[in-house]
Amino acid sequence: AAKRSKGSDIRIFNKSLEKEIGSFLVVDNLLFNAVRKELFLFHYQPYFNVKSKELVGFEALVRIRDENGILHYPGEFIDVLEQSNYLNPFREWALKEVSEKIKRWKRPISVNISARTFKNPNFPKQILEYVKELPAPMVLEITERLYMSEVEKSKEIIKELRKCKNLKISIDDFGTGYSSLSYLMDIDADTIKIDISFVRKMVKDERSRIIVKAIVTLAKELNMKTVAEGVETEEQFEIVKSMGIDYVQGFFFSKPLPEEEVGKLLGN
Ligand code: C2E
Ligand code: MG
Ligand code: MG
Ligand code: MG
């Protein structure tokens, strides 16, 4: 009986491995086509000044429009993309695309940077080429997790990136890592984005409010701006406002928009 169950364990393992390989191949094929046929696009989610409610800038969020017209979201493909050879052509495309939009819209645009891109020794030089003559900043979003995984190295890289005028650094998904206050104090970033999970918890949970309040106070002292991500309701917005958070991003204000709609919104 023991033998038999071992045998079936192996089969189950093979089945799930088979499935994994199968879905990997599907995603790989999606990415292969996206690179070859230029199927990547960005949606741009506006973020707003909490006090004045004025539009400040956008975050570029990648999608793939496949040949059947179906829109694919990063949750489906970003992990595979980040580990694949498609990352280089994707990055070239992404930087070019975002630079063009900054020129056209004359607003800051944030772009999410993967760990592999961030740590690529050529990256600071590459990005300088794109950022040189932009009329508004390009903002690089790196996750708190990435930063914290190698604090000293991250600091070095940011120091290098700081040589680029017009480049800003934003710490994404803040509060989700095992962040240690002593590290947080010397993050050399312009902005920290308070993660959606905090925004959600703040409504009901006093402790979350206290923690966020402390983060905001700390950020102010250190000359960093704060952004609340994923604000979906008026109630959440009111709390965000009472916390003194600078900027707000979320469905309550706007979903990520196709570029045509951004053009209309800005009148160009
Ligand atoms: P992120 O950088 O934290 O981006 C915010 C995500 O939250 C986006 O999902 C956005 O559509 C979603 N969001 C915005 N407002 C709300 C809201 O009010 N409620 C809820 N429930 N969600 C909201 P999206 O576009 O699916 O992107 C998911 C993640 O994929 C991003 O998280 C980012 O980590 C990654 N990603 C997106 N574009 C890129 C890219 O160009 N390069 C890299 N490396 N990663 C990217
Ligand atoms: Mg982001
Ligand atoms: Mg985020
Ligand atoms: Mg997030």
Side-chain angles (χ1 to χ4, degrees):
K3 244 186 196 163
R4 235 191 222 157
S5 82
K6 248 190 200 159
S8 65
D9 277 356
I10 288 168
R11 257 206 311 282
I12 289 166
F13 173 73
N14 281 344
K15 266 252 162 63
S16 68
L17 189 64
E18 212 175 279
K19 237 183 170 173
E20 224 171 85
I21 292 170
S23 65
F24 171 79
L25 289 177
V26 170
V27 176
D28 190 78
N29 188 53
L30 179 72
L31 291 167
F32 176 78
N33 279 323
V35 169
R36 208 169 48 128
K37 298 174 183 161
E38 301 180 8
L39 306 178
F40 287 114
L41 64 139
F42 278 129
H43 280 175
Y44 297 89
Q45 187 177 32
Y47 60 94
F48 299 85
N49 185 306
V50 167
K51 279 192 191 138
S52 67
K53 294 199 177 167
E54 269 168 332
L55 190 153
V56 178
F58 301 90
E59 176 175 7
L61 295 158
V62 68
R63 280 93 179 86
I64 296 172
R65 172 84 66 195
D66 75 16
E67 287 149 306
N68 302 315
I70 295 165
L71 199 60
H72 298 265
Y73 288 81
E76 229 180 292
F77 60 80
I78 202 76
D79 289 348
V80 176
L81 175 62
E82 286 179 357
Q83 293 173 52
S84 70
N85 291 331
Y86 309 123
L87 188 62
N88 279 329
F90 168 73
R91 181 169 56 241
E92 290 283 351
W93 170 83
L95 293 175
K96 187 160 166 278
E97 184 69 20
V98 166
S99 305
E100 274 171 18
K101 293 302 182 288
I102 295 174
K103 281 183 198 161
R104 188 184 306 169
W105 297 332
K106 301 182 176 58
R107 302 277 184 165
I109 301 181
S110 306
V111 56
N112 293 284
I113 301 298
S114 72
R116 230 177 98 203
T117 296
F118 185 68
K119 288 173 186 163
N120 182 327
N122 294 323
F123 182 60
K125 212 179 342 144
Q126 182 190 27
I127 195 137
L128 181 62
E129 280 309 302
Y130 287 98
V131 172
K132 257 191 302 199
E133 281 158 17
L134 297 179
M138 186 186 288
V139 185
L140 305 183
E141 291 195 3
I142 60 168
T143 61
E144 181 194 29
R145 221 170 283 275
L146 189 176
Y147 186 96
M148 290 301 169
S149 70
E150 281 176 273
V151 174
E152 288 312 315
K153 186 161 183 199
S154 299
K155 272 196 195 163
E156 278 303 304
I157 297 168
I158 289 179
K159 206 169 138 196
E160 189 64 32
L161 290 168
R162 286 259 172 245
K163 292 177 187 162
C164 309
K165 211 177 62 166
N166 246 352
L167 203 61
K168 296 208 183 298
I169 308 289
S170 181
I171 307 295
D172 206 352
D173 301 343
F174 194 83
T176 55
Y178 43 91
S179 19
S180 142
L181 265 189
S182 63
Y183 283 141
L184 298 187
M185 305 243 232
D186 62 9
I187 274 186
D188 183 20
D190 302 282
T191 314
I192 55 184
K193 300 186 75 173
I194 296 159
D195 192 65
I196 185 167
S197 57
F198 268 104
V199 171
R200 286 189 174 148
K201 273 189 275 181
M202 272 197 297
V203 175
K204 283 193 197 141
D205 179 19
E206 160 116 66
R207 288 177 78 90
S208 306
R209 286 197 292 274
I210 293 170
I211 291 167
V212 171
K213 186 81 215 173
I215 292 171
V216 173
T217 306
L218 194 62
K220 280 218 166 80
E221 292 288 321
L222 297 168
N223 271 323
M224 292 189 279
K225 299 285 188 194
T226 46
V227 184
E229 46 170 43
V231 173
E232 293 177 346
T233 66
E234 174 136 41
E235 195 183 16
Q236 289 173 344
F237 175 63
E238 287 307 323
I239 290 170
V240 161
K241 209 165 137 185
S242 73
M243 298 262 138
I245 294 170
D246 299 295
Y247 305 128
V248 69
Q249 185 180 356
F251 297 165
F252 182 60
F253 288 89
S254 171
K255 298 214 158 177
L257 305 170
E259 61 171 85
E260 308 80 52
E261 282 184 48
V262 175
K264 274 188 232 158
L265 187 73
L266 297 174
N268 60 6

